[in-house]
Amino acid sequence: MARTFTPVDLVKLPLVDSHGAVALASAVEAGAAKYNDLPQNVVEAVVQIASDRAVLQQAIARTPGTVVTVKEADRRMDKVGGAFHDILVAWASLGEFLPQGKDARVVLDRLFPEGRSFVNLKVKEEWAAIETKLATVEREGLTGVIGGIGATPVLTLLKEVHTLYGQVIGTTEAPEEAPELRESRYALLDSIRD
C-alpha cells in the first residue's frame, strides 16, 4: 500500500468543535498578521483560512440553539449541581426539627463533603465528580431520601444536564454537530492543515 504525504495525513490538529475551529483559525490569522514579509503561498493560505472561518461562522449563526458550547454546558452543570447542593443544605439545616433534615444531612455529607467546590473544577474533572456523585446515589440507594425532600425533579434534571455535559465535552461520546456545521468545520480544518 502506497503512503500519501498530504497535509491531511501529516498535520494533526487538536479535536475541536465548530467554535474551537473558529478560535484556532483566528489564532492562525492573528499569528500571520504579525508578519509583512510572508511568502505569497502562505498569504494565500491565510486568506483561504479567513474565508473558510467566515463560512463556518455563518453556518453557526444559521443554526442557533442546536450547538451547546462547552461554556454553556458548564454553566448549566454549575447551576443545576449547585441548586441540588443548596436544596440539600437547606433541608439539612432543619435537621433539629424534621427527620427529613437529618436524612438530607446524610446525603449532603455523602455527596458534597467538599461543598460547592466542584463548580470550580476543569470541565472533565467536574464531569467526573458529578458522575461519582450520581453513582453514589444509585449505589447507596439515596433516591428515596432525595424523593422524601421533594428533590427528585432536580436529581432527574441533574442527570439530564450531566449527560449533555458529557456529550458536549466529549467524555461520553464525540460531540455531534449539524451536518452543515460539520462540513464547514472540516473545510476550515483542512485549510489550516494546508
Side-chain angles (χ1 to χ4, degrees):
M1 185 154 118
R3 284 184 167 192
T4 59
F5 297 99
T6 66
V8 172
D9 298 322
L10 298 175
V11 180
K12 298 298 178 203
L13 296 175
L15 295 176
V16 292
D17 63 3
S18 292
H19 294 285
V22 168
L24 185 59
S26 296
V28 170
E29 292 170 51
K34 293 179 184 178
Y35 302 97
N36 294 326
D37 57 347
L38 292 173
Q40 185 59 33
N41 63 333
V42 174
V43 171
E44 291 170 3
V46 172
V47 168
Q48 184 63 50
I49 290 169
S51 173
D52 288 342
R53 178 188 45 77
V55 169
L56 178 56
Q57 286 176 306
Q58 290 172 356
I60 291 170
R62 283 192 305 269
T63 56
T66 60
V67 177
V68 176
T69 63
V70 171
K71 183 176 181 179
E72 174 60 16
D74 184 49
R75 183 195 70 80
R76 292 177 187 184
M77 179 54 68
D78 291 351
K79 189 161 190 143
V80 176
F84 185 60
H85 169 269
D86 294 348
I87 289 167
L88 291 170
V89 167
W91 272 99
S93 71
L94 300 173
E96 69 179 282
F97 307 110
L98 297 169
Q100 295 95 331
K102 290 178 185 173
D103 292 342
R105 169 55 61 193
V106 170
V107 175
L108 182 65
D109 290 344
R110 281 300 295 128
L111 299 182
F112 298 99
E114 76 289 349
R116 287 180 68 129
S117 64
F118 68 93
V119 301
N120 297 318
L121 296 172
K122 293 179 181 174
V123 293
K124 291 191 178 185
E125 292 170 2
E126 182 178 4
W127 180 89
I130 297 297
E131 176 75 7
T132 301
K133 293 173 191 324
L134 291 173
T136 301
V137 167
E138 295 302 320
R139 185 180 61 252
E140 297 185 11
L142 301 175
T143 54
V145 175
I146 293 166
I149 61 171
T152 299
V154 180
L155 177 61
T156 300
L157 180 60
L158 180 63
K159 290 176 181 178
E160 292 170 5
V161 169
H162 176 67
T163 298
L164 176 65
Y165 197 37
Q167 292 168 350
V168 169
I169 67 173
T171 303
T172 55
E173 61 185 63
E176 191 62 37
E177 293 184 317
E180 60 273 11
L181 290 180
R182 195 170 42 249
E183 292 166 13
S184 297
R185 177 171 48 94
Y186 290 158
L188 175 57
L189 293 176
D190 284 346
S191 293
I192 293 171
R193 283 186 189 96
D194 286 340

